[in-house]
Amino acid sequence: KYAEANLIQIKLNYHTDNQSLTIFYTDNGQGFDFQGFMNPDTKLGLGIKSIETRVKALNGKIDLISKVGEGIKVEIEIKAEAP
């Protein structure tokens, strides 16, 4: 909605060797200045902060790359827990 993207790609990969799920998300939206966006003194980026909190609660990793005018790339990896 805010990104004004007209092309979005989502890829899911399940890795049987280490039993992990990797989610790749990219878009061609307006992007943003990541450092300023994630400043803890602002209310900006609450959606991304929420996603980051949820991924960490699942013992996962999240990497975000964005630049103004270049969209965003997100990679999330979550490992399955042993039964």
Side-chain angles (χ1 to χ4, degrees), residues 32-45 49 66:
F32 56 89
D33 171 18
F34 189 72
Q35 295 301 321
F37 198 73
M38 297 303 286
N39 182 338
D41 296 330
T42 69
K43 292 184 181 179
L44 296 173
K49 289 176 185 176
S66 185

Side-chain angles (χ1 to χ4, degrees), residues 1-5 25 27-32 37 44-48:
K1 169 176 161 176
Y2 299 111
E4 299 178 8
Y25 171 94
D27 72 34
N28 68 344
Q30 61 186 0
F32 56 89
F37 198 73
L44 296 173
L46 291 178
I48 292 174

Side-chain angles (χ1 to χ4, degrees), residues 8-75:
I8 297 170
Q9 290 185 319
I10 299 173
K11 295 180 184 180
L12 304 173
N13 291 332
Y14 181 73
H15 308 279
T16 55
D17 56 336
N18 66 356
Q19 296 192 356
S20 68
L21 174 68
T22 305
I23 303 165
F24 298 96
Y25 171 94
T26 60
D27 72 34
N28 68 344
Q30 61 186 0
F32 56 89
D33 171 18
F34 189 72
Q35 295 301 321
F37 198 73
M38 297 303 286
N39 182 338
D41 296 330
T42 69
K43 292 184 181 179
L44 296 173
L46 291 178
I48 292 174
K49 289 176 185 176
S50 176
I51 293 168
E52 190 173 45
T53 299
R54 292 174 185 184
V55 169
K56 287 181 180 179
L58 295 169
N59 295 318
K61 297 185 306 183
I62 182 168
D63 291 314
L64 296 113
I65 300 171
S66 185
K67 292 182 182 177
V68 175
E70 295 185 19
I72 188 170
K73 296 178 183 178
V74 181
E75 180 178 341

